Amino acid sequence: MLGTPASPLEKALMDSGLGEALFHSGLSDDILQPAFGIGMKGVAADKTVEVEELLLKTLNRLVDEGFTAEAVEASINTYELSLRENKTASYSRGLSLMLCSVAKWVYGGDPFEALRFAKPLEALKERIANEGVKGVFSPLIKKFILDNTHRVTVELQPDNEKGVKDEAAEAERLAKVKASMTKEDIAELVRATEELRVRQETPDPPEALRAVPRLSLKDIPKEPIYVPIAVGEINGATVLRHDIFTNGVLYTEVAFDMSTLRADLLPLVPLFCESLLGMGTKDMDFVELSQVIGRKTGGISVSACVSSVHGKKEALTYLMIQSKGMANQIADVLNLMKVVLKDVQFNEQRVQQLVSRLKSDMESQVVVGCMTASIRMNGMLNVEGWLREQSTGVSYLNYLRSLEKLVEDDWPAVCQSLEDIRSAVLGRKGVIVNLTADEKILTSAEPHVSNFLDAFPETSGDRTCTWNPVLHRVNEGLVIPTKVNYVGKAACLYDAGYEMDGCVFVITEYINETWLSDRVRVSGGAYRCSCYFDEYSGVFSYLSDRDPNLLKTLDNYDGTVEFLKNLELDDEALTKAIFAAIKETDPYELPDAKGFSSMRHYIQGVTWEKRQQRREQILSTSVEDLRKFGSVLEYVRDSGVVVAVASADDIAAANEAKPGFLDVVKVL
């Protein structure tokens, strides 16, 4: 019913035009009483009843007509491959399995039930074969959803005055509490508050820290994790092969060079990527193509990949298409990747829906203020950041708002721009094909890769295009409706002459776990705060998350300089920071992630020898390295750019305390 834009329930709701996007939709089965819900954003106040009526009408139709056999086959194939992969990204597989077990165990269930999927899945397939698709699924929809009287419709409407009303009510309540207190009560409250502040800012005693079990540096391998890589060529394209056990799955990424793209087309790239997976072809409509992809592959995704390269001002930009499939699906996987890239036809109605959803997603994303601040700061400091700001930042949100009207007023021009992206990017020159599987599967894939590449011209569009990114460095206050702040400050250390050393990763981990945690999080009340260094761009950044402060947090960022210069710490504290740095620079990865990371290292020119050098620098980090870095951070303190995502009142208060400090930009 849900899961892809072609799923019947999602498609019916989105085609209706009643809302902009779905959210929190599907089954929640990790609670004692499982719940099924559908959420829709951007619904007009008088359209809630229409949404509910359409939802029930569609569910009744599915009960009467059932799902197509192709749709069910696609769903089962996708679900089964997901279960067999057991992908957990950088999250530990052991912890993931434990949490799956606990979800049933805490309610008295069998802790192994969630882990044993093979037999239940085969039983479901057999039941579908015997009873038919309609016989299996229609009764479930009718019993557990349509005939279920435990149902509620919740409508959320925005109130621009709610924050002001809540603050006024809180101020009134606090005034009453204070009026009821004696002088002794107030004095005791002041004393307790000061006691709490001192306790928060006092480091844990060494004996308490020593009580926590820990490893020693001897337990850390001296070499980084090695991922096998063989570099070859097929039809003029670079082919990277990673011989890794993948349980019979071939992971495929194809990266097309985007440096040929005109600058005015860059903000359209996210829409182009979404459109390739949200349209049909001349021979297959959108639903048919989606179902074929679900039946024949483990899914296809298309996205832009952008990265800085150490020592270069230019950024690397690729259009990346990714897919996966079992060994017997290799031909189908590569053929469908070709179909998605070359044969999909852009449809005005579908593009309008996608633009509306992308805009809605971006409006939700900018509220995650730490990400918004980070993208905005980097957009002022380097070309990679500027590119990301054009496709994921505030500039992109503003572009989408104008694009909505442009699609409506001049669809032919928008369609031509999308075709221009296709013709400019899709050529064999500069292409990188990345394959991850065991050697037998890699060898069997080569002829199919050759056929795939034959479908594209040797070169793509005009390769003389140049970008002229304008990086305006200015402190900004981005206004959104919020009661907390997201405060960032950043600068490019390479501009100040800093030479990269692996000890910087130890230093950032130590700052995060001590100074920033104590000052901004524990004492300052922020939900989270951290600093980060990007070795490719050279950008060092501070970011706080859900922070009640603004200028005070910036003062704490600047205070990092003296904190490091005057630092005294024992071997145990330094060892802890080294462990954290190793974890961040050489994280746990599943086979597909290993292959993808290896490809990124190849693109960025990061050899195994360079990784080894970084690791040795991390392991040999000294207290003196941390103290010296205090002087390096003077550049961030004195020349860093500030971006604060906050309420209009908090930004105004900051500008009142420091006149003209922040340029005000209203985002929402």
Side-chain angles (χ1 to χ4, degrees), residues 176-308:
K176 290 180 180 178
V177 171
K178 185 177 181 180
S180 67
M181 297 173 69
T182 64
K183 290 183 178 179
E184 291 76 14
D185 292 335
I186 294 175
E188 172 58 23
L189 182 60
V190 171
R191 186 204 63 77
T193 301
E194 177 61 19
E195 181 182 339
L196 175 62
R197 185 192 65 79
V198 172
R199 185 171 182 177
Q200 288 174 331
E201 296 181 2
T202 301
D204 292 326
E207 58 271 17
L209 295 174
R210 282 194 292 270
V212 180
R214 59 172 54 85
L215 300 172
S216 70
L217 289 180
K218 295 179 181 179
D219 298 306
I220 300 179
K222 302 302 180 186
E223 297 180 347
I225 296 172
Y226 175 73
V227 178
I229 180 172
V231 182
E233 183 180 320
I234 296 179
N235 294 3
T238 300
V239 178
L240 310 179
R241 295 162 42 115
H242 307 286
D243 181 6
I244 302 174
F245 175 73
T246 59
N247 202 21
V249 180
L250 173 69
Y251 297 97
T252 305
E253 291 94 20
V254 183
F256 293 87
D257 183 8
M258 277 209 308
S259 62
T260 59
L261 205 58
R262 301 196 317 263
D264 64 292
L265 295 177
L266 288 171
L268 266 177
V269 170
L271 175 62
F272 176 76
C273 295
E274 292 282 340
S275 297
L276 292 180
L277 296 172
M279 312 284 165
T281 67
K282 182 179 180 181
D283 300 320
M284 290 183 286
D285 65 23
F286 164 52
V287 175
E288 291 173 319
L289 178 57
S290 179
Q291 289 177 355
V292 171
I293 291 173
R295 288 179 6 237
K296 302 294 185 181
T297 79
I300 295 177
S301 65
V302 186
S303 60
C305 180
V306 184
S307 176
S308 294

Side-chain angles (χ1 to χ4, degrees), residues 541-557:
S541 54
Y542 298 99
L543 282 168
S544 69
D545 183 3
R546 282 159 280 186
D547 190 345
N549 303 300
L550 200 162
L551 293 180
K552 181 181 177 182
T553 293
L554 292 172
D555 289 340
N556 282 318
Y557 292 164

Side-chain angles (χ1 to χ4, degrees), residues 533-600:
F533 179 73
D534 184 337
E535 67 174 300
Y536 304 110
S537 68
V539 172
F540 184 97
S541 54
Y542 298 99
L543 282 168
S544 69
D545 183 3
R546 282 159 280 186
D547 190 345
N549 303 300
L550 200 162
L551 293 180
K552 181 181 177 182
T553 293
L554 292 172
D555 289 340
N556 282 318
Y557 292 164
D558 294 344
T560 308
V561 171
E562 295 304 318
F563 167 73
L564 289 179
K565 285 184 175 182
N566 301 311
L567 186 64
E568 296 291 339
L569 77 163
D570 57 26
D571 290 341
E572 289 187 3
L574 181 59
T575 298
K576 182 180 178 182
I578 290 174
F579 268 107
I582 290 291
K583 177 178 178 292
E584 289 298 315
T585 57
D586 210 358
Y588 168 82
E589 290 182 324
L590 297 178
D592 63 316
K594 287 181 179 179
F596 189 79
S597 295
S598 181
M599 177 187 64
R600 288 189 66 97

Side-chain angles (χ1 to χ4, degrees), residues 291-433:
Q291 289 177 355
V292 171
I293 291 173
R295 288 179 6 237
K296 302 294 185 181
T297 79
I300 295 177
S301 65
V302 186
S303 60
C305 180
V306 184
S307 176
S308 294
V309 180
H310 182 50
K312 296 184 179 180
K313 289 191 175 296
E314 300 80 11
L316 296 172
T317 56
Y318 290 94
L319 182 78
M320 189 86 68
I321 183 167
Q322 299 173 274
S323 190
K324 60 191 174 187
M326 303 303 292
N328 62 347
Q329 296 176 322
I330 294 174
D332 290 321
V333 166
L334 286 159
N335 180 60
L336 285 167
M337 290 170 68
K338 178 187 69 176
V339 168
V340 165
L341 292 171
K342 288 181 63 67
D343 299 340
V344 162
Q345 297 180 332
F346 302 114
N347 174 275
E348 180 178 1
Q349 181 184 5
R350 290 288 301 146
V351 167
Q352 285 177 329
Q353 292 176 0
L354 289 175
V355 173
S356 178
R357 180 175 64 78
L358 287 170
K359 181 174 72 73
S360 177
D361 290 346
M362 277 301 305
E363 288 174 340
S364 298
Q365 181 176 308
V366 296
V367 178
V368 185
C370 49
M371 183 187 301
T372 302
S374 177
I375 292 171
R376 193 71 168 178
M377 289 190 301
N378 278 277
M380 302 177 191
L381 296 173
N382 58 72
V383 176
E384 176 199 354
W386 176 80
L387 287 167
R388 292 189 186 278
E389 168 59 21
Q390 304 304 303
S391 58
T392 59
V394 173
S395 297
Y396 179 55
L397 173 58
N398 293 331
Y399 176 80
L400 286 173
R401 287 166 172 164
S402 63
L403 183 60
E404 267 192 317
K405 189 172 188 308
L406 184 60
V407 172
E408 183 179 341
D409 294 345
D410 195 356
W411 162 245
V414 175
C415 184
Q416 184 58 54
S417 293
L418 293 172
E419 291 292 356
D420 288 346
I421 294 175
R422 176 147 49 189
S423 61
V425 173
L426 299 183
R428 292 203 303 271
K429 188 174 180 62
V431 166
I432 297 174
V433 180

Side-chain angles (χ1 to χ4, degrees), residues 32 101-113:
L32 184 59
S101 298
V102 167
K104 304 294 181 184
W105 201 2
V106 292
Y107 299 120
D110 180 355
F112 296 102
E113 179 186 349

Side-chain angles (χ1 to χ4, degrees), residues 430-660:
V431 166
I432 297 174
V433 180
N434 194 57
L435 305 172
T436 305
D438 62 51
E439 182 59 34
K440 183 178 179 181
I441 295 176
L442 292 174
T443 300
S444 67
E446 287 188 356
H448 302 294
V449 171
S450 179
N451 292 336
F452 170 83
L453 293 170
D454 280 341
F456 300 94
E458 183 177 349
T459 59
S460 52
D462 180 9
R463 305 193 67 82
T464 62
C465 291
T466 58
W467 300 332
N468 189 23
V470 179
L471 306 174
H472 294 295
R473 294 186 56 169
V474 59
N475 296 336
E476 285 187 334
L478 307 181
V479 178
I480 65 171
T482 179
K483 297 182 71 173
V484 289
N485 306 320
Y486 306 84
V487 185
K489 187 170 186 177
C492 178
L493 298 185
Y494 294 156
D495 290 347
Y498 174 70
E499 294 186 6
M500 173 62 196
D501 188 293
C503 69
V504 67
F505 300 118
V506 180
I507 296 168
T508 56
E509 291 297 330
Y510 184 76
I511 295 170
N512 289 338
E513 293 301 318
T514 54
W515 177 257
L516 293 181
S517 178
D518 293 341
R519 296 287 174 162
V520 181
R521 187 178 180 215
V522 177
S523 298
Y527 176 74
R528 181 168 45 206
C529 183
S530 61
C531 63
Y532 175 77
F533 179 73
D534 184 337
E535 67 174 300
Y536 304 110
S537 68
V539 172
F540 184 97
S541 54
Y542 298 99
L543 282 168
S544 69
D545 183 3
R546 282 159 280 186
D547 190 345
N549 303 300
L550 200 162
L551 293 180
K552 181 181 177 182
T553 293
L554 292 172
D555 289 340
N556 282 318
Y557 292 164
D558 294 344
T560 308
V561 171
E562 295 304 318
F563 167 73
L564 289 179
K565 285 184 175 182
N566 301 311
L567 186 64
E568 296 291 339
L569 77 163
D570 57 26
D571 290 341
E572 289 187 3
L574 181 59
T575 298
K576 182 180 178 182
I578 290 174
F579 268 107
I582 290 291
K583 177 178 178 292
E584 289 298 315
T585 57
D586 210 358
Y588 168 82
E589 290 182 324
L590 297 178
D592 63 316
K594 287 181 179 179
F596 189 79
S597 295
S598 181
M599 177 187 64
R600 288 189 66 97
H601 288 151
Y602 174 84
I603 291 173
Q604 294 168 328
V606 180
T607 63
W608 190 87
E609 289 75 19
K610 284 186 178 179
R611 293 178 61 213
Q612 177 65 41
Q613 181 187 31
R614 292 283 181 265
R615 194 179 191 87
E616 291 171 358
Q617 291 169 340
I618 290 172
L619 292 173
S620 62
T621 300
S622 66
V623 178
E624 190 58 30
D625 290 325
L626 277 77
R627 294 181 183 134
K628 289 179 179 178
F629 199 73
S631 298
V632 175
L633 289 184
E634 289 178 355
Y635 183 71
V636 184
R637 181 193 65 190
D638 301 335
S639 303
V641 63
V642 172
V643 173
V645 182
S647 67
D649 288 344
D650 282 352
I651 291 173
N655 277 336
E656 183 177 350
K658 297 180 68 173

